[in-house]
Amino acid sequence: GAGVSQTPSNKVTEKGKYVELRCDPISGHTALYWYRQSLGQGPEFLIYFQGTGAADDSGLPNDRFFAVRPEGSVSTLKIQRTERGDSAVYLCASSFERGNSGANVLTFGAGSRLTVL
Amino acid sequence: DQQVKQNSPSLSVQEGRISILNCDYTNSMFDYFLWYKKYPAEGPTFLISISSIKDKNEDGRFTVFLNKSAKHLSLHIVPSQPGDSAVYFCAAHAEGSNYKLTFGKGTLLTVNP
């Protein structure tokens, strides 16, 4: 597609439930990223995929959070036993792999707003 | 410990005048700095970047200045237009970990007609 597509755009769930957030990156972008933006904050790094593998998941807050990218394209962020503190906008981004030179310009999707009641 | 700080939550400017958005950082390992613009209900969109070996980068109405010794950068928008009204995020990354952008909290710019 022309841009990074994220679904759902809005998700309201109850505390303790399981949620999945989906990201469809720009065609040809091999790198995929998940960030989380809480109210009044800037986006915070969660996880980075190079192809199918998670190259760095150090930003995931705890083991309730997990992300997959089985075929190297679409990614799903999975949150188990949701808590009210998980409420945020979850942003997905993609880019070409550029090695270690130059500014890494990420293209972001519109985000999935998660509200945990 | 905020490594990228945008100390002004908001800024209001008259159309046609200059907008100056400021950003400070603490991590001397950062090699690249980026500015993103965000409209409501949209994702952040890339605006302009600068390498730590430069002190200025210009793209049309947008110029970013970097003062490495002061660990300070600023984004200048001249002339400001009402369509520039958005939240502006400063972000940074090191060369070796270019997948991990560190963002500031953002500054809401309002350009009044």
Side-chain angles (χ1 to χ4, degrees):
Chain A
V4 178
S5 176
Q6 292 190 246
T7 54
S9 55
N10 273 288
K11 174 72 177 178
V12 180
T13 191
E14 292 179 345
K15 180 175 179 294
K17 298 288 188 184
Y18 168 81
V19 299
E20 288 190 351
L21 307 174
R22 175 189 165 107
C23 173
D24 200 344
I26 290 172
S27 179
H29 280 189
T30 52
L32 184 144
Y33 317 78
W34 285 97
Y35 281 73
R36 176 168 77 171
Q37 186 178 9
S38 302
L39 195 62
Q41 305 294 317
E44 294 176 309
F45 170 80
L46 295 178
I47 186 170
Y48 155 60
F49 286 90
Q50 250 179 4
T52 59
D56 187 328
D57 65 358
S58 62
L60 295 177
N62 51 60
D63 61 6
R64 295 186 297 106
F65 289 75
F66 190 70
V68 295
R69 195 186 184 200
E71 295 175 1
S73 179
V74 170
S75 175
T76 305
L77 178 65
K78 308 180 181 198
I79 311 173
Q80 298 178 322
R81 304 183 305 279
T82 51
E83 299 177 358
R84 292 195 180 88
D86 299 335
S87 297
V89 175
Y90 290 81
L91 294 163
C92 178
S94 68
S95 73
F96 292 108
E97 283 299 339
R98 2 170 359 100
N100 281 334
S101 64
N104 190 16
V105 177
L106 274 56
T107 302
F108 284 89
S112 292
R113 179 176 296 277
L114 175 65
T115 303
V116 182
L117 301 177
Chain B
D1 173 33
Q2 263 213 302
Q3 298 184 54
V4 176
K5 299 177 186 177
Q6 293 177 259
N7 292 319
S8 297
S10 63
L11 174 69
S12 186
V13 166
Q14 208 62 30
E15 180 178 6
R17 306 294 291 268
I18 184 171
S19 295
I20 300 177
L21 298 130
N22 293 304
C23 177
D24 297 290
Y25 63 97
T26 56
N27 188 343
S28 57
M29 299 299 289
F30 287 143
D31 296 296
Y32 295 94
F33 303 90
L34 302 88
W35 285 93
Y36 277 82
K37 178 169 79 172
K38 187 181 182 306
Y39 293 119
E42 295 184 13
T45 55
F46 171 73
L47 205 52
I48 192 169
S49 66
I50 189 167
S51 160
S52 61
I53 63 172
K54 305 244 171 139
D55 55 16
K56 177 181 173 181
N57 188 26
E58 190 171 353
D59 184 1
R61 296 186 297 115
F62 303 91
T63 303
V64 56
F65 296 93
L66 175 63
N67 182 334
K68 199 172 173 183
S69 61
K71 293 193 175 68
H72 176 85
L73 61 154
S74 60
L75 175 68
H76 293 213
I77 307 173
V78 183
S80 302
Q81 299 173 353
D84 296 329
S85 298
V87 176
Y88 288 78
F89 290 101
C90 174
H93 71 76
E95 186 132 52
S97 55
N98 62 3
Y99 54 87
K100 192 181 282 189
L101 294 183
T102 301
F103 284 83
K105 290 187 178 183
T107 297
L108 173 63
L109 173 66
T110 303
V111 181
N112 301 302

